[in-house]
Amino acid sequence: MKIMSVFGTRPEAIKMCPLVKEIEKQHDMESIVCLSGQHREMLIPILELFEIKVNHNLDIMRPKQTLTTITADILTRIEDVLIKERPEIVLVHGDTTTSFVAALAAFYQKIPVGHVEAGLRSGDKFSPYPEEMNRTLTTRIAELHFAPTENNKSNLLKEGITEGITVTGNTVMDAFHTTLKENYEFQNELLKTKDLTKGRWILLTAHRRENLGKPLEQICEAVKQIVKNNKDVNVVYPVHPNPAVRETVENILKNQERVYLTEPFDVQDMHNLMRRSYLVLTDSGGLQEEAPSCGVPVLVLRTETERPEAVQAGTVRIIGVETEDIVRETEVLLHNKTAYEQMAMAVNPYGDGKASCYIVEALRKWGQETLG
Ligand code: UD1
Ligand code: UDP
């Protein structure tokens, strides 16, 4: 069975590489990797770490790309690749524009689609934007749905999807086998030189489209106040290369004492830093899955989440994007030991780290039933 995995952004790569490695191990499967190129330099260290052989790269990234240019460029360029390779199935991941457009392009060629990380829903089509719509539309197209949790499966059932669902856990837990290390030595110059056991370290990431502009300004103002009020607190912020993010962040936070703005970390540095952080402030989806399993509290800089599992378990809290809310909620965790300890327990609703194996098994079963 020829299986083509299509991905293009950082989180897709982190979560698809363990699956690609698993497919490569199978004697009855052929793995083809097609990058959309939606992200460029942020993908390189991930592909190197997992030693992924790339067969096709659509190389679409341009500065300040819009949803329209990403969509049009992928749709146009992937057609030839699908026709040339003619895989039995195309695998896409999650909710990016790469995922949705690759699924649509496969549908146009009547090639079945398997959706990894299926069934996440916030219930608001504009938040996260455009991800909620991307994943909902991908569900309509897909034949196979690999849902990380039972809750994700029930979201699919509510939408009338009754066949092809397998609950697998999240492949990010599989990625941890490669990235997390007990006596890890950091690669990044800043992390090499700082003593992370001195003071308290907050890891911050913020880049979502719906937070660009005023919300991101409010987040940065909150960070300024938090470090001003708390002299033992350091904030590390690996800044997304999007110029719209960089402009705001540098305007407000550049040269602030104990605020370290850096280039994005490679995923090994990132996961090992996260594990050693006091808390995580983020608008990222992936960090809401990763930090809880390391026992690190997460305050989410959004007004909703499609990942309610760790919220229910008590290790993730949604705090929005107002400056005073961010300062107040962060300071509760800095000053109230009981509140901190209640959130700092290790919780892992995302499986046993073998999601890739379960996906491969489901693919094999599907292949035997439909292809003979
Ligand atoms: C995309 C996804 C989002 C995902 C995020 C992960 C969509 C619509 N958005 O958003 O769901 O959470 O990736 O990070 O699919 N850039 C570079 N180098 C890179 C990557 C990006 O310079 O390696 C810059 C480019 O100027 C680019 C801009 O960042 O135009 C924005 O990239 P884009 O993929 O459009 O948006 P993200 O916010 O990264
Ligand atoms: N990440 C990383 N380096 C960084 C910031 C994030 O490796 O500097 C990882 C993070 O650990 C997680 C993924 O990138 O695995 C999350 O990506 P992002 O926040 O861009 O996307 P989202 O999860 O919100 O879709």
Side-chain angles (χ1 to χ4, degrees):
M1 180 165 37
K2 195 188 234 192
I3 301 171
M4 184 191 283
S5 303
V6 185
F7 51 93
T9 67
R10 172 173 62 191
E12 293 170 271
I14 293 168
K15 292 166 166 181
M16 285 297 272
C17 287
L19 175 57
V20 169
K21 297 308 286 180
E22 193 59 35
I23 296 170
E24 279 174 0
K25 279 194 229 156
Q26 312 304 314
H27 299 300
D28 55 349
M29 295 181 179
E30 182 188 355
S31 170
I32 303 287
V33 171
C34 175
L35 300 183
S36 68
Q38 180 173 340
H39 286 176
R40 193 166 288 148
E41 66 275 11
M42 288 210 291
L43 236 61
I44 296 166
I46 306 165
L47 298 169
E48 282 175 3
L49 174 69
F50 286 92
E51 299 177 341
I52 298 292
K53 179 175 166 272
V54 174
N55 303 86
H56 304 274
N57 188 346
L58 310 178
D59 199 23
I60 62 124
M61 199 194 87
R62 41 177 122 166
K64 291 198 176 174
Q65 58 204 7
T66 67
L67 297 177
T68 305
T69 62
I70 304 171
T71 303
D73 290 349
I74 297 174
L75 199 56
T76 318
R77 292 186 202 181
I78 202 170
E79 187 177 44
D80 284 349
V81 176
L82 290 171
I83 291 170
K84 176 172 174 272
E85 294 287 359
R86 202 78 228 161
E88 264 78 41
I89 190 162
V90 165
L91 298 182
V92 299
H93 180 277
D95 55 19
T96 69
T97 296
T98 290
S99 325
F100 163 58
V101 179
L104 182 64
F107 170 71
Y108 285 166
Q109 298 304 321
K110 298 193 176 156
I111 298 170
V113 171
H115 188 196
V116 182
E117 200 178 269
L120 281 69
R121 294 290 185 270
S122 71
D124 177 350
K125 72 178 174 188
F126 285 104
S127 188
Y129 169 82
E131 289 81 5
E132 179 76 358
M133 187 53 72
N134 283 342
R135 56 191 168 221
T136 307
L137 295 172
T138 304
T139 293
R140 302 318 310 172
I141 295 170
E143 216 79 30
L144 296 179
H145 312 265
F146 304 112
T149 67
E150 288 293 335
N151 169 61
N152 302 144
K153 177 179 174 180
S154 87
N155 289 338
L156 295 170
L157 294 173
K158 278 185 223 149
E159 291 177 11
I161 306 292
T162 52
E163 285 177 20
I165 307 175
T166 313
V167 176
T168 60
N170 196 306
T171 53
V172 78
M173 295 297 138
D174 307 22
F176 276 162
H177 296 311
T178 305
T179 58
L180 281 181
K181 302 231 157 68
E182 244 0 284
N183 298 315
Y184 182 71
E185 286 180 21
F186 289 101
Q187 299 301 307
N188 177 276
E189 282 308 315
L190 171 83
L191 301 176
K192 264 187 196 167
T193 49
K194 293 288 168 194
D195 182 352
L196 299 175
T197 61
K198 282 217 179 98
R200 289 183 286 184
W201 292 77
I202 295 178
L203 174 58
L204 164 69
T205 77
H207 64 78
R208 302 211 71 78
R209 265 187 165 69
E210 66 271 19
N211 277 347
L212 296 181
K214 189 159 175 265
L216 188 56
E217 286 169 19
Q218 293 169 179
I219 292 167
C220 293
E221 287 298 340
V223 168
K224 237 163 119 174
Q225 289 185 30
I226 292 164
V227 288
K228 190 165 157 253
N229 298 347
N230 300 279
K231 300 293 179 211
D232 69 325
V233 168
N234 306 277
V235 175
V236 188
Y237 184 176
V239 187
H240 190 289
N242 187 347
V245 174
R246 295 224 152 163
E247 218 170 280
T248 305
V249 171
E250 285 176 8
N251 272 343
I252 303 175
L253 290 177
K254 205 171 174 189
N255 301 324
Q256 285 295 315
E257 218 184 325
R258 286 173 286 112
V259 176
Y260 301 98
L261 305 181
T262 72
E263 288 299 314
F265 294 128
D266 75 45
V267 63
Q268 271 194 302
D269 273 0
M270 183 67 182
H271 284 175
N272 287 285
L273 171 64
M274 188 175 59
R275 196 190 230 181
R276 290 159 179 78
S277 299
Y278 183 79
L279 70 90
V280 169
L281 282 174
T282 191
D283 65 3
S284 155
L287 282 165
Q288 294 176 57
E289 295 156 347
E290 295 165 349
S293 74
C294 300
V296 178
V298 182
L299 297 177
V300 178
L301 306 167
R302 287 164 56 173
T303 49
E304 46 56 42
T305 185
E306 60 290 270
R307 294 167 166 92
E309 293 83 0
V311 176
Q312 279 150 15
T315 67
V316 168
R317 186 173 300 151
I318 312 295
I319 63 166
V321 290
E322 300 297 329
T323 302
E324 60 182 33
D325 295 339
I326 301 168
V327 174
R328 188 187 60 249
E329 294 296 330
T330 304
E331 293 197 338
V332 166
L333 294 186
L334 288 171
H335 302 305
N336 182 333
K337 204 165 169 243
T338 316
Y340 181 81
E341 279 167 4
Q342 275 169 0
M343 280 189 83
M345 50 195 175
V347 163
N348 169 19
Y350 296 110
D352 58 6
K354 294 183 192 152
S356 304
C357 298
Y358 303 136
I359 293 170
V360 163
E361 273 171 32
L363 284 168
R364 179 171 289 117
K365 187 162 169 277
W366 172 84
Q368 285 161 354
E369 283 166 7
T370 57
L371 311 170

